[in-house]
Amino acid sequence: MTLKEAQETVDQWITTTGIRYFNELTNTAILMEEVGEVARIMSRKYGEQSFKKSDEAVDLGNEMADVLFVLICLANQTGIDLTTAMEKNLQKKSIRDADRHRNNEKLQ
């Protein structure tokens, strides 16, 4: 699925099953909540925290998809074409960081 297809699919789901988009501020708060859930899993799976019994069966991929879903909702609501935005962002990084990481002693 391309980013464009994902944006179209989410919009179709929202306008049928979801009835309508939550407003942008609500979706921003939901995005922060979903990112927090990913952070909780990461800190337990890859960090020093241990899993609680209730967290042992969590699916990191599913939680990341929740983040992506809400981010796509926000992009749709604000008129952002994520394909174009991602292409511009990668171009910016490629120019800005052309030698930066290669010359970073911490990465050697």
Side-chain angles (χ1 to χ4, degrees):
M1 179 181 293
T2 66
L3 289 171
K4 180 178 177 50
E5 291 168 339
Q7 285 192 255
E8 291 168 354
T9 300
V10 167
D11 187 65
Q12 181 65 30
W13 187 92
I14 289 292
T15 56
T16 58
T17 306
I19 308 300
R20 67 171 179 81
Y21 286 93
F22 293 124
N23 71 45
E24 295 84 352
L25 289 176
T26 299
N27 271 337
T28 299
I30 292 169
L31 178 62
M32 297 305 102
E33 180 182 343
E34 297 297 351
V35 168
E37 291 175 11
V38 169
R40 188 184 71 247
I41 294 168
M42 295 299 289
S43 69
R44 285 164 172 73
K45 187 168 184 172
Y46 300 102
E48 286 77 33
Q49 286 191 312
S50 60
F51 276 98
K52 298 176 187 173
K53 228 13 170 182
S54 61
D55 288 335
E56 289 177 351
V58 294
D59 179 348
L60 180 58
N62 185 57
E63 297 301 333
M64 287 183 174
D66 284 343
V67 170
L68 184 58
F69 182 89
V70 181
L71 186 63
I72 289 171
C73 286
L74 284 166
N76 287 349
Q77 290 176 277
T78 58
I80 302 295
D81 176 334
L82 285 173
T83 300
T84 301
M86 192 67 187
E87 288 169 348
K88 286 180 181 177
N89 187 271
L90 286 170
Q91 183 180 29
K92 174 191 75 175
K93 284 175 172 47
S94 294
I95 293 167
R96 180 191 68 200
D97 300 332
D99 295 318
R100 178 174 166 225
H101 299 300
R102 189 175 299 114
N103 295 330
N104 182 346
E105 292 179 13
K106 296 177 184 178
L107 297 177
Q108 304 305 318

